Amino acid sequence: MIQAVLFDMDGVLLDTEKYLTRYLRQAAKEAGYDMSREVVYSLRSYAFRFASPWLKEIYGEDFDYGAIRARRQELMKEHIAVHGLEVKPGVKETVETLRTWGYQTAVVTATNETRAREYLNLTGLTGLFDEVVCASMVEYGKPRPDVYLYACGKIGRKAEECIAVEDSPNGIQAAYSAGCRVIMVPDLTQPDEELQKKTWAVAENLTGILPFVEKERKISHESGTGSAGI
């Protein structure tokens, strides 16, 4: 019985991944590296402790991902100061509907807590969620399941009682390994055959997750097990 819906932030709630991609490539170029889009896409939600050695395998031991990432963060901060943050279409409608139906909602992000809360406050989304859980709160970030397991504990639910909404392979792997039911809302890339095996559903956009959740509510109600909001 589903009781909560957990949302990744970048690429799901906020339309930031396209800028994170642009500015990481720029930061790498400034450091003398030609980083392809495919490599950047693979880094989405990828914890630093895993990403850094992986990138050294590609670009050599001198590749300083910490410095390049810090420069990317600087460029992103400059962008936000001028242009603000873009919220994905349908965020408020979707989350408010879920809460009306009685579901708990939480953000589960690879972004550190300070920046995640800053972004959610800037976009007026903070009040839509019961908890904001960040990879910096656990030992291992995505694609390990720790952050999702921690989020489930924070809201008092088992993983199998939660739907996770993700856009990236690393995020999907984390939620799937935790035992959550995963809905993918593709952002920069579409799911391949292997990724589809780890998802319960793929929705074209965020509001597209609602029919899947509503179907689950009806099944639970008709079976007599009950559901959130019923």
Side-chain angles (χ1 to χ4, degrees):
M1 179 172 63
I2 300 299
Q3 299 286 357
V5 183
L6 314 177
F7 294 86
D8 177 46
M9 186 178 73
D10 293 294
V12 172
L13 300 175
L14 303 181
D15 197 5
T16 46
E17 292 284 17
K18 59 189 178 185
Y19 299 117
L20 294 170
T21 298
R22 176 194 300 177
Y23 293 124
L24 183 56
R25 294 188 75 202
Q26 180 178 331
K29 186 175 182 179
E30 290 176 4
Y33 298 93
D34 183 13
M35 185 178 286
S36 69
R37 289 186 182 275
E38 289 71 27
V39 168
V40 178
Y41 291 164
S42 296
L43 290 171
R44 289 173 297 163
S45 293
Y46 205 15
F48 178 85
R49 68 188 301 166
F50 303 128
S52 184
W54 179 67
L55 289 168
K56 286 182 183 294
E57 290 180 8
I58 298 174
Y59 299 108
E61 284 299 319
D62 291 335
F63 188 85
D64 189 347
Y65 182 46
I68 291 171
R69 188 177 69 159
R71 175 59 176 153
R72 187 269 294 164
Q73 292 170 345
E74 183 180 75
L75 291 167
M76 190 72 181
K77 184 176 182 180
E78 292 171 359
H79 174 94
I80 293 169
V82 175
H83 302 285
L85 285 163
E86 300 172 50
V87 177
K88 282 281 194 173
V91 169
K92 289 188 177 181
E93 173 190 345
T94 300
V95 180
E96 286 174 351
T97 297
L98 291 169
R99 292 177 71 85
T100 298
W101 288 348
Y103 292 98
Q104 292 173 278
T105 56
V107 175
V108 183
T109 178
T111 300
N112 70 57
E113 184 177 6
T114 299
R115 193 173 299 110
R117 292 192 182 278
E118 176 189 355
Y119 285 7
L120 294 170
N121 286 334
L122 282 172
T123 52
L125 299 179
T126 302
L128 293 175
F129 302 99
D130 298 301
E131 293 286 347
V132 177
V133 178
C134 307
S136 55
M137 298 175 179
V138 298
E139 184 176 1
Y140 294 102
K142 301 176 184 180
R144 296 281 284 271
D146 303 43
V147 67
Y148 272 104
L149 294 172
Y150 183 68
C152 292
K154 289 283 285 184
I155 62 173
R157 297 296 178 187
K158 298 176 181 178
E160 57 265 31
E161 296 177 316
C162 300
I163 288 172
V165 184
E166 280 279 358
D167 70 297
S168 71
N170 290 314
I172 289 170
Q173 181 62 51
Y176 176 79
S177 296
C180 298
R181 194 175 298 190
V182 186
I183 299 180
M184 182 181 187
V185 179
D187 181 33
L188 299 179
T189 57
Q190 296 294 319
D192 58 19
E193 184 177 348
E194 189 62 31
L195 205 58
Q196 287 183 359
K197 295 176 183 177
K198 299 173 183 177
T199 63
W200 176 53
V202 177
E204 184 176 344
N205 50 47
L206 202 57
T207 54
I209 76 170
L210 293 175
F212 295 106
V213 181
E214 186 172 28
K215 182 179 179 180
E216 179 66 19
R217 290 175 75 231
K218 290 180 178 178
I219 291 172
S220 297
H221 181 59
E222 289 170 0
S223 67
T225 58
S227 181
I230 296 177

